[in-house]
Amino acid sequence: MVQVIEREVPVADGVRVEVHDGTVRVEGPRGTLERDLWYPSVDIRAEPDKVYVGTPLDKKNQKSIVGTYASHIANMVRGVTEGFQYKLKLVYSHFPIQVKIEGKVVSIENFLGERKPRTARVMGGSVVAIQGDELTVTGIDKEHVGQTAANIEQATRIKGRDPRVFQDGIYLIEKGVEAST
């Protein structure tokens, strides 16, 4: 089959990629990720050192899905080799924010002096750590790490007050590769 558009994703040493019935499985030193990536007329094939994503059709939808799937696979390979890390900072002026991790929930207490704690869900295998006034979210799945950071940030969103005056909250300050341990 002649491919009109084809993207290749390099696979790092020590990483194994398997494709079976639209499911892509990536195994590496940090763990295993599995994801369903199926779309009509989009083919994914894995070789030991590269993954090819292509389509024989010259249509906009197929071309965009090829790029999207190539990015997803590249993120999966990067996740199982390096991991992802997002850093958030606690910002408050009058009432000190207290953050606790209770299983798969981050509890934010004393936000703007509120009595009831605000909560944010931790997604997938993400890990949240607290160091002083900074929160660190780490994991191998980029989407789960990013969604966990967004859940924490959105939990402290202020409604009905002037954001120029009430700047309290938890804000994303850095995202990148997880520091090697």
Side-chain angles (χ1 to χ4, degrees):
M1 187 178 336
V2 176
Q3 301 292 339
V4 170
I5 185 168
E6 187 171 71
R7 293 266 183 103
E8 66 179 45
V9 179
V11 177
D13 292 336
V15 176
R16 199 171 91 213
V17 180
E18 297 173 3
V19 180
H20 184 67
D21 290 337
T23 301
V24 178
R25 182 181 172 92
V26 180
E27 294 179 29
R30 290 189 176 256
T32 304
L33 290 173
E34 192 170 310
R35 185 165 186 164
D36 290 331
L37 300 175
W38 181 88
Y39 196 80
S41 300
V42 174
D43 304 317
I44 302 171
R45 59 185 163 74
E47 292 183 2
D49 61 339
K50 287 188 173 103
V51 177
Y52 295 96
V53 183
T55 181
L57 301 177
D58 191 20
K59 293 189 176 181
K60 187 177 180 180
N61 284 351
Q62 271 75 12
K63 287 180 182 180
S64 63
I65 291 294
V66 166
T68 301
Y69 283 0
S71 294
H72 284 319
I73 294 169
N75 285 335
M76 291 168 73
V77 169
R78 187 174 177 199
V80 298
T81 54
E82 301 171 353
F84 296 99
Q85 175 175 295
Y86 283 37
K87 287 188 180 180
L88 298 108
K89 186 163 182 71
L90 297 160
V91 179
Y92 55 88
S93 56
H94 292 96
F95 299 101
I97 301 172
Q98 298 164 354
V99 179
K100 294 179 187 169
I101 300 158
E102 300 162 348
K104 287 288 190 184
V105 175
V106 176
S107 178
I108 303 152
E109 297 175 353
N110 201 34
F111 179 69
L112 295 177
E114 296 173 343
R115 291 176 186 262
K116 184 180 175 195
R118 295 184 179 206
T119 58
R121 252 181 57 209
V122 177
M123 306 297 292
S126 301
V127 177
V128 180
I130 306 167
Q131 297 104 13
D133 65 343
E134 282 191 3
L135 286 169
T136 307
V137 183
T138 56
I140 62 172
D141 192 335
K142 184 175 188 174
E143 291 182 21
H144 287 166
V145 172
Q147 188 61 55
T148 300
N151 290 347
I152 294 168
E153 197 171 19
Q154 286 297 309
T156 59
R157 199 169 127 232
I158 299 172
K159 300 176 200 134
R161 295 200 172 129
D162 189 352
R164 296 170 297 181
V165 176
F166 296 92
Q167 296 180 355
D168 297 23
I170 300 175
Y171 299 104
L172 180 67
I173 57 170
E174 183 184 330
K175 45 181 170 172
V177 178
E178 188 174 345
S180 55
T181 56

